[in-house]
Amino acid sequence: MKKKVYIIQPTYHLKDGKLSKELPLFNYSYNLPIISAVIPEEWKKETCLEYTEEVNFDTDASVIILTSPGYDIVRSLEIIEYFKWKEKIVLVGAHLDQFSDKILKNVCDAVFYGYPNPAKMKQFLDDVEAGTIKKEYHFGSNLNFPFDYSVLKKQKMPFLPVITSIGCRNECTYCCNPPFYNGHYYLRKIEYVISDLKEAAITKKPLAFLDANLYNNREYLIMLCRQIVYEKIDIIWGAQCTVNIGDDEEVLNLLYEAGCRMLFLVLETLNNKNLLQLNKPMNIDYYHRQVKGIHNAGIHIGAFFMLGLDEDDEFTFDNVYSFFQENKIEVPYVHIFFPTPGTATAEGLKSDGKILENYFDDHVFRQTKFSAPCSIAYFKSAGLSKAELEAGFVNLFTKITSLKNIIRRVLVPDIRIAALILKMNMEARKKAKSMRKNKLKPESNVISYIPSRLNKVENTTYIRNY
Ligand code: SF4
């Protein structure tokens, strides 16, 4: 057996069945650098980010490893089936465990849950050599090793993904994190994060921390920023975190000093009753003050809202628009409420009979229909009909992506940040156009790519803890 591994992150099918060859800004992943880093030295390796590269179906690797966020599942199946036909060993890990359990497990040799580290990957490859592969590998959450950024340096990416932690200290009931981590998070040792930052800094590209919540641990964040400043690592970066960071002037000033120029805030709603229903421990009465605090520190803001929660009504669309305008949000984003399948909120809506469309099948197989932003009302909302919600959403999305608004947002001092703000806004504008176009067509004309050989997946979901 040739000791060689081929690591692939698949792309997905577009409406016409062709493969997308564009990496959307919100689909960046650190999985390739992680998996490449844990392959033992005695094994050769080759990688493929299919968004930008072609899969080498003639590879001489004996082991294929696929790492697949949810929207790539259909494409993953095609790749797995091809390599199984060529009698390769195929290991697959999906972003959400129910995809691995229900969809991938039967077609590949083994599925993995969590993140591999060097010891666990060695164990798997030893099993391959010994012919004792297990059906499941539980890799856990230990990311204390430097990642292999050489696999991304060659890619045409406007920024590079980095990470300090996985999980989140909060337990919002619609989010994919709590079912995995139950309100816990795992911090990487600062020395490994610093090592990654130095490696990524060589590219001179902006960096994006893909943590669910960079503000999970204040003391850790302070230490990390001080180390970046102390080691004079020349980077600019953005991250997602909770809005309450806006009250923490000391941390905000340190973030700026360490190169932070943009924070993404998942605000979700302008109604405290909605927040309560989602178990989101924030308070909308402080949003203006907190957003102002972040701007005062010189940091730009991306803000996300969901529409179609129970307390939303016909005024919600205008209220959200005014919030974006009054607070000068540089990257505004909205989508229709769509709780992750398997979460407490999704299960509750299901048992209350509030599901209007088959959201699980769409989420898994019809990436072209269920796209980001979600523009379909899959769930009944107490204050809005399906038609009102979908029309109000498209109108709002169109308003926030008007050229006049976009031009105003890109007038920021740093040209690199201006370029990113422009790219994110223009990508949203493109989506607004395509949503308006699709609304004019009958549903049957919106082609969804589902290989006919796939059986319909049972409409029940669960998420495994590991
Ligand atoms: S704060 Fe954000 S990442 Fe954390 S549980 Fe809530 S939605 Fe998820």
Side-chain angles (χ1 to χ4, degrees):
M1 165 185 283
K2 187 172 173 86
K3 291 176 83 162
K4 182 173 174 184
V5 174
Y6 188 25
I7 311 159
I8 306 167
Q9 183 176 337
T11 181
Y12 60 86
H13 287 279
L14 297 167
K15 285 180 186 138
D16 56 7
K18 288 182 186 155
L19 293 175
S20 170
K21 283 295 174 188
E22 208 178 311
L23 183 54
L25 281 174
F26 293 116
N27 291 9
Y28 277 53
S29 156
Y30 40 78
N31 288 358
L32 276 186
I34 291 180
I35 297 175
S36 177
V38 299
I39 304 298
E41 265 182 23
E42 62 272 25
W43 283 75
K44 287 191 173 158
K45 61 189 173 189
E46 186 184 353
T47 60
C48 172
L49 181 67
E50 205 195 8
Y51 287 96
T52 59
E53 299 168 306
E54 297 304 318
V55 173
N56 174 10
F57 285 106
D58 295 321
T59 179
D60 57 352
S62 53
V63 178
I64 312 295
I65 300 180
L66 266 88
T67 165
S68 183
Y71 37 81
D72 304 336
I73 288 293
V74 172
R75 178 60 179 159
S76 295
L77 282 163
E78 292 172 339
I79 296 172
I80 295 166
E81 286 185 342
Y82 184 83
F83 280 120
K84 280 316 299 166
W85 176 69
K86 291 197 103 181
E87 299 181 345
K88 309 276 185 188
I89 303 290
V90 183
L91 172 71
V92 185
H95 176 60
L96 292 176
D97 284 355
Q98 72 261 37
F99 298 152
S100 298
D101 282 346
K102 288 185 178 293
I103 302 164
L104 302 172
K105 207 181 218 167
N106 296 330
V107 286
C108 62
D109 294 281
V111 292
F112 67 87
Y113 303 97
Y115 297 92
N117 58 50
K120 302 250 170 155
M121 182 54 75
K122 183 174 180 330
Q123 181 61 59
F124 164 71
L125 291 171
D126 286 350
D127 288 352
V128 169
E129 285 194 282
T132 55
I133 304 174
K134 300 172 194 69
K135 201 67 199 162
E136 294 182 5
Y137 286 84
H138 294 263
F139 286 152
S141 310
N142 178 4
L143 290 177
N144 281 319
F145 51 88
F147 299 168
D148 176 10
Y149 278 94
S150 66
V151 299
L152 293 185
K153 280 181 190 160
K154 59 185 174 177
Q155 303 293 340
K156 282 187 189 155
M157 300 162 95
F159 58 82
L160 287 184
V162 286
I163 191 162
T164 71
S165 68
I166 49 174
C168 178
R169 67 179 174 180
N170 297 319
E171 294 186 77
C172 308
T173 50
Y174 63 100
C175 169
C176 61
N177 274 295
F180 285 106
Y181 303 111
N182 299 313
H184 298 290
Y185 56 90
Y186 301 87
L187 295 168
R188 294 178 72 205
K189 286 185 179 162
I190 285 184
E191 66 199 82
Y192 297 116
V193 180
I194 291 290
S195 155
D196 286 355
L197 296 180
K198 285 180 179 167
E199 197 56 34
I202 295 169
T203 64
K204 304 274 180 216
K205 288 181 183 174
L207 309 182
F209 283 92
L210 299 189
D211 300 58
N213 179 9
L214 193 75
Y215 198 43
N216 266 327
N217 186 310
R218 184 177 188 271
E219 286 66 40
Y220 175 93
L221 187 53
I222 288 175
M223 279 194 295
L224 176 68
C225 289
R226 286 195 178 138
Q227 198 62 25
I228 293 171
V229 174
Y230 176 74
E231 299 215 21
K232 296 190 174 66
I233 305 175
D234 184 16
I235 46 175
I236 57 165
W237 50 273
Q240 176 175 288
C241 66
T242 45
V243 64
N244 55 334
I245 200 169
D247 285 330
D248 195 337
E249 201 180 334
E250 183 193 352
V251 165
L252 287 170
N253 289 337
L254 257 175
L255 286 178
Y256 185 86
E257 220 188 321
C260 177
R261 294 293 178 272
M262 180 143 242
L263 287 176
F264 293 91
L265 311 171
V266 186
L267 301 177
E268 308 298 31
T269 177
L270 292 173
N271 184 296
N272 275 334
K273 282 189 190 160
N274 281 337
L275 284 179
L276 206 61
Q277 274 187 17
L278 300 170
N279 196 33
K280 199 167 179 70
M282 301 298 143
N283 188 330
I284 65 125
D285 300 333
Y286 308 150
Y287 277 7
H288 289 280
R289 184 186 75 211
Q290 290 166 333
V291 161
K292 198 169 169 207
I294 296 169
H295 273 150
N296 285 347
I299 297 171
H300 307 293
I301 295 176
F304 302 87
F305 282 92
M306 305 192 291
L307 302 164
L309 295 161
D310 271 348
E311 299 296 325
D312 289 352
D313 56 25
E314 72 268 31
F315 303 110
T316 301
F317 309 103
D318 282 346
N319 291 343
V320 171
Y321 182 71
S322 301
F323 181 90
F324 286 142
Q325 297 299 96
E326 284 164 21
N327 291 285
K328 298 187 169 44
I329 301 297
E330 287 87 351
V331 180
Y333 214 75
V334 291
H335 61 98
I336 292 182
F337 177 47
F338 186 92
T340 305
T343 56
T345 299
E347 293 302 302
L349 288 164
K350 190 158 57 171
S351 58
D352 291 348
K354 288 190 170 176
I355 296 182
L356 298 171
E357 293 202 27
N358 191 346
Y359 78 112
F360 184 68
D361 274 6
D362 280 4
H363 186 51
V364 176
F365 296 124
R366 296 188 184 89
Q367 172 56 25
T368 51
K369 187 174 172 200
F370 174 78
S371 57
C374 176
S375 58
I376 295 172
Y378 284 95
F379 302 97
K380 268 185 212 157
S381 156
L384 290 161
S385 70
K386 180 175 168 63
E388 284 169 336
L389 178 53
E390 291 178 353
F393 162 76
V394 174
N395 287 341
L396 174 58
F397 208 89
T398 302
K399 265 164 74 178
I400 62 176
T401 54
S402 75
L403 268 184
K404 197 171 144 201
N405 276 332
I406 292 176
I407 290 165
R408 228 184 272 143
R409 291 177 198 135
V410 298
L411 302 174
V412 300
D414 189 319
I415 185 106
R416 293 167 298 174
I417 297 299
L420 273 179
I421 292 174
L422 181 65
K423 189 162 173 50
M424 284 186 262
N425 275 281
M426 290 309 283
E427 213 174 82
R429 184 175 162 80
K430 208 166 124 192
K431 283 175 194 288
K433 271 190 185 165
S434 122
M435 280 188 287
R436 284 198 305 275
K437 211 167 123 196
N438 284 335
K439 285 277 163 205
L440 300 176
K441 294 179 184 176
E443 184 63 25
S444 57
N445 282 355
V446 181
I447 304 163
S448 298
Y449 184 86
I450 308 178
S452 54
R453 66 184 176 281
L454 289 178
N455 292 327
K456 195 172 157 60
V457 171
E458 193 189 333
N459 187 21
T460 54
T461 64
Y462 62 94
I463 292 178
R464 174 194 303 268
N465 288 315
Y466 51 81

